[in-house]
Amino acid sequence: MAGLDAFGTQLQRGDGATPETFSPLANVTDITPPGIERETYDVTAHDSEDAWREFIGGLKDGGEVEIDINYDPREHDGLIADFADALPRNYKVVWPGTLGNWAFKAILTNFEPEAPHDDKLAVSLTFKVSGKPTITTGV
């Protein structure tokens, strides 16, 4: 198989209740899920084999999530409260069909609306992942 259709991918926001309910953000046009990465530490020494640099793995980073939305202030301005709150909230990227999800805590770090004279209202949002994401694989 050469690839999978991304249509139907959602970013869902937790309500903070117990048990927590997740609701999809409406009118999302583009989602860039977290790009997880790991630092490396250079442990090269004078006796490293054949003068090749050596590394070990360090701290991991959950990365950022970026989304673009067809902006409706009546529907999306509630996210401003997430920006005002310094504490992480629960979110999920839910893949289409039964492909699984990535759940994580994140802080909304950027809320950038635009209103061009010749196009739609839009907003770009950036979330910084805090801690370890939970990756649930689908079938």
Side-chain angles (χ1 to χ4, degrees):
M1 176 183 336
L4 297 171
D5 188 358
F7 183 79
T9 302
Q10 297 179 348
L11 180 65
Q12 296 183 354
R13 179 178 178 265
D15 63 3
T18 304
E20 190 151 35
T21 301
F22 286 83
S23 301
L25 295 180
N27 298 312
V28 174
T29 60
D30 191 35
I31 300 174
T32 303
I36 56 178
E37 62 184 342
R38 177 192 292 268
E39 291 180 358
T40 57
Y41 305 128
D42 188 336
V43 293
T44 307
H46 287 287
D47 58 352
S48 292
E49 186 176 343
D50 293 329
W52 283 95
R53 289 195 177 273
E54 297 178 283
F55 298 89
I56 59 171
L59 295 172
K60 297 173 231 171
D61 188 329
E64 292 182 333
V65 176
E66 296 177 355
I67 66 170
D68 295 322
I69 294 177
N70 291 329
Y71 183 42
D72 181 344
R74 298 166 296 188
E75 202 167 328
H76 298 112
D77 278 357
L79 291 167
I80 296 290
D82 288 0
F83 183 80
D85 193 354
L87 297 175
R89 175 181 285 276
N90 291 324
Y91 293 91
K92 287 183 189 178
V93 171
V94 179
W95 307 114
T98 59
L99 296 176
N101 68 74
W102 287 22
F104 50 89
K105 292 184 178 300
I107 300 165
L108 180 58
T109 59
N110 186 44
F111 187 98
E112 189 174 339
E114 65 177 359
H117 76 281
D118 60 349
D119 204 353
K120 64 187 179 193
L121 285 173
V123 66
S124 294
L125 305 172
T126 304
F127 300 85
K128 177 63 182 153
V129 175
S130 176
K132 180 181 178 180
T134 302
I135 299 172
T136 303
T137 56
V139 292

